[in-house]
Amino acid sequence: MFNRKKFWSGLLFFICITVMAGAFAREGRLKSDEHVMFLPGLAVERADGSFGVDVDAWVFEKESKRLAVSALTSWLGVDLNKLPPEQKALFFERTRYFRTDSERGKRLRVRLADQLFTLPRTKGAGRTHARLRVEREWVKWENGSSGFGSVRWTLEAPRHPAHGQEGYAKIIPAEGVSIVSDIDDTIKISNVLNRKTLVRNTFLEPFRAVPGMAEWYSEMARNEQHAFFHYLSASPIQLHPALSEFLKDGRFPPGVLHLREATSKRTLYAGRKTTIAHKKNVIARLLMTYPRRKFILIGDSGENDPEIYADIFRAHPERILAIHIRNVTNEDRAAPRYQQTFAGIDPQIWHIRD
């Protein structure tokens, strides 16, 4: 016998489930005013010949200009009213990724070699990460070589302005020399020890390369076996586009930037402990990921690069070919700091460069 009450109850339940399913399906989709930044990473070969590819992304929305600019200029100590037009324009360009609101709960899909992968939902800082398994035939090798290559993917977001946006990960040979280089005051004039000057050099002035460093790095790229460059800095990832452009314009060898996670407001500033931890963690991960590669470590004397690199050498003496420190504090090899920092380390390993 037809039960009208059960029928309508069942129909209502079905409609509710359908609506909820649609809501869940829509949840996590990118809105038209939300943006995606893919951070270039590394792909590592596995025992079966496939590759583990790290995909890192940041989802954010640009904040209202007036509030965001006011907060940022107050934090940086910058008075926009006193800036000439060219500096004001550069300020807005350099700070555009700082004037954002990171988006939680977004689910991205990427297309790689006609395969679709869904990344985990973004967390509170707008970040998501996944390690994808990629077949060898999906790799694009450079110059026909099986040593260097890249894996590229595109964002799958139909009817969204970011649809088709590309990301990539680099493949490097299992053996060779990895050059880990600091950025600020090592290859880029920043004056980290003076906060006011650092702010100006970061947000108000064109980036300037340290003379002679690009030529030296290019020489290493030619002469070291399977050389690859890792540009390591505690600078926040919001500066990734600007620093990538600096490396390209300065004719530094291609490589991968390893910047600091800072997409939540409380992580924007990096103190001494945060900087040391970031650099040590990145280098430790590279040493573990590439157990058959040797390393050259390059930094400057302005902060803690000598101490960081000395600690790493003592932990992995057979892996570190050389340590180079650019002198920005007017200390020569005989300075007490260096004698203490590099005590017991072969003098042929560490070098001070003017």
Side-chain angles (χ1 to χ4, degrees):
M1 179 182 294
F2 177 73
N3 189 316
R4 181 175 297 178
K5 184 176 181 180
K6 286 186 176 180
F7 170 79
W8 288 111
S9 297
L11 181 60
L12 180 61
F13 177 77
F14 174 80
I15 292 172
C16 289
I17 291 296
T18 303
V19 170
M20 290 175 64
F24 279 118
R26 289 190 297 273
E27 183 187 4
R29 289 183 182 177
L30 288 175
K31 297 178 181 177
S32 60
D33 58 351
E34 292 172 342
H35 305 263
V36 177
M37 179 189 292
F38 287 117
L39 298 169
L42 297 168
V44 181
E45 187 170 9
R46 294 174 167 175
D48 63 0
S50 66
F51 289 86
V53 178
D54 286 327
V55 177
D56 283 287
W58 174 35
V59 180
F60 58 92
E61 179 183 352
K62 294 181 180 178
E63 292 182 343
S64 67
K65 186 175 180 180
R66 179 174 297 178
L67 290 176
V69 170
S70 176
L72 192 58
T73 53
S74 175
W75 187 77
L76 293 173
V78 173
D79 187 348
L80 289 181
N81 295 323
K82 295 182 179 180
L83 297 180
E86 63 273 12
Q87 281 191 331
K88 186 178 291 188
L90 186 57
F91 174 84
F92 281 110
E93 173 63 23
R94 291 270 174 83
T95 63
R96 58 179 172 157
Y97 294 111
F98 291 89
R99 293 177 280 116
T100 59
D101 183 23
S102 297
E103 296 297 321
R104 176 198 293 270
K106 298 300 175 178
R107 179 162 286 170
L108 305 181
R109 294 206 305 171
V110 297
R111 181 174 295 277
L112 200 162
D114 293 329
Q115 300 291 320
L116 278 177
F117 298 89
T118 301
L119 307 184
R121 291 183 186 275
T122 57
K123 298 182 180 181
R127 297 297 304 280
T128 181
H129 169 268
R131 174 163 286 188
L132 307 181
R133 185 180 185 277
V134 171
E135 301 301 332
R136 193 173 192 85
E137 56 267 26
W138 298 356
V139 174
K140 181 180 179 180
W141 298 105
E142 297 176 8
N143 302 321
S145 167
S146 61
F148 290 94
S150 62
V151 177
R152 297 180 179 272
W153 58 85
T154 57
L155 179 66
E156 185 74 9
R159 296 182 297 279
H160 189 278
H163 177 69
Q165 182 174 310
E166 189 175 78
Y168 68 90
K170 300 290 290 186
I171 294 172
I172 64 177
E175 297 182 1
V177 177
S178 289
I179 297 97
V180 177
S181 171
D182 177 56
I183 296 177
D184 289 310
D185 290 328
T186 298
I187 62 173
K188 180 172 74 67
I189 298 172
S190 302
N191 202 343
V192 171
L193 296 179
N194 186 313
R195 174 179 163 80
K196 186 175 181 179
T197 305
L198 174 63
V199 168
R200 290 191 64 85
N201 287 335
T202 302
F203 297 107
L204 304 177
E205 303 288 350
F207 289 158
R208 294 178 295 149
V210 174
M213 297 300 279
E215 291 78 6
W216 178 36
Y217 281 27
S218 296
E219 182 181 348
M220 284 192 286
R222 291 190 298 269
N223 296 333
E224 299 291 349
Q225 180 191 21
H226 296 318
F228 189 82
F229 287 79
H230 299 271
Y231 297 99
L232 172 60
S233 173
S235 294
I237 66 170
Q238 288 90 330
L239 287 174
H240 195 288
L243 289 174
S244 296
E245 185 177 354
F246 161 75
L247 293 172
K248 182 179 179 181
D249 292 345
R251 299 184 181 276
F252 285 92
V256 170
L257 278 162
H258 300 269
L259 304 183
R260 184 177 54 84
E261 167 59 64
T263 51
S264 64
K265 296 297 187 290
R266 67 179 183 275
T267 61
L268 193 58
Y269 175 74
R272 177 176 176 274
K273 290 183 178 180
T274 300
T275 297
I276 292 174
H278 169 69
K279 290 186 175 183
K280 283 189 171 183
N281 289 341
V282 169
I283 297 174
R285 189 166 63 248
L286 291 174
L287 286 162
M288 181 176 63
T289 302
Y290 301 102
R292 290 153 56 191
R293 290 183 70 84
K294 304 293 185 181
F295 286 76
I296 295 174
L297 309 179
I298 307 174
D300 64 85
S301 61
E303 293 188 291
N304 302 103
D305 289 345
E307 291 77 13
I308 293 170
Y309 294 167
D311 287 347
I312 291 169
F313 178 87
R314 291 189 176 96
H316 306 275
E318 74 290 350
R319 305 285 305 281
I320 310 302
L321 297 178
I323 296 172
H324 295 273
I325 301 297
R326 179 173 176 260
N327 180 17
V328 297
T329 53
N330 295 320
E331 298 171 285
D332 60 20
R333 287 180 64 93
R337 175 193 186 184
Y338 293 137
Q339 292 304 306
Q340 179 180 350
T341 298
F342 294 110
I345 297 178
D346 185 346
Q348 299 297 317
I349 293 292
W350 60 278
H351 311 269
I352 308 300
R353 297 177 60 93
D354 291 323

